[in-house]
Amino acid sequence: MNTQASCELCVQAGGEVVCRQDAFRVVLVDDPGYPGFCRVIWNAHVREMTDLPLSERELLMQAVWKVESAIRAVMAPAKMNIASLGNMVPHLHWHLIPRFDDDAHFPGPIWAQVQRPGTPDGLAKRQALLPELKNALIRQFSS
């Protein structure tokens, strides 16, 4: 694994590791406003998708779609936000964020201005689904 000592995702897990594969890991992000927010992080230090050979790009995207499928099946969001930004941490990773009509930023991105306070009941309901989501993610990658 190529690592860079100054890269946050090379030296830290990037969240609670739910699944670890040779090439990537799936983590649950500790974001109290967005239970179910996951990242798929490429283990080797690369900056962009086109830095990977086609076979590895396909492997990574298959992982992203498996995570999306698990989140949707368990959490039933109104919408999924999927993004690969890396402006702050130039290490290849994908954000998968379940979105709900009552979340604090909806319909804007979670990095936009808050639209309303998040509803405590909605957050508690989604938080309670996290054990089921972890199990669904593990099942996705155990076959």
Side-chain angles (χ1 to χ4, degrees):
M1 179 163 121
N2 297 333
T3 60
Q4 292 192 359
S6 63
C7 175
E8 178 180 328
L9 294 179
C10 284
V11 298
Q12 297 177 23
E16 178 188 348
V17 178
V18 178
C19 304
R20 185 178 299 278
Q21 303 284 309
D22 290 339
F24 62 85
R25 62 194 179 271
V26 177
V27 302
L28 194 56
V29 177
D30 183 18
D31 186 328
Y34 291 92
F37 179 168
C38 292
R39 286 190 192 110
V40 178
I41 303 168
W42 194 252
N43 289 330
H45 186 82
V46 296
R47 296 172 68 90
E48 308 296 346
M49 286 293 289
T50 53
D51 291 337
L52 297 176
L54 180 58
S55 61
E56 291 181 346
R57 281 183 261 163
E58 289 173 348
L59 176 68
L60 179 56
M61 292 315 299
Q62 287 172 7
V64 169
W65 306 141
K66 285 181 178 184
V67 172
E68 178 192 20
S69 180
I71 293 170
R72 290 184 66 203
V74 171
M75 302 194 78
K79 182 72 177 103
M80 284 295 302
N81 287 177
I82 301 172
S84 178
L85 304 170
N87 296 331
M88 299 296 291
V89 181
H91 181 121
L92 187 55
H93 63 285
W94 286 84
H95 301 267
L96 293 100
I97 310 161
R99 300 300 306 280
F100 299 87
D101 296 339
D102 66 345
D103 75 43
H105 296 91
F106 197 84
I110 69 166
W111 299 283
Q113 186 172 358
V114 171
Q115 301 291 316
R116 72 195 64 72
T119 63
D121 290 344
L123 288 172
K125 178 182 170 186
R126 292 188 279 278
Q127 191 74 32
L129 293 172
L130 292 181
E132 186 179 346
L133 176 59
K134 290 176 192 178
N135 287 333
L137 289 166
I138 291 166
R139 283 191 307 273
Q140 283 283 8
F141 292 98
S142 64
S143 53

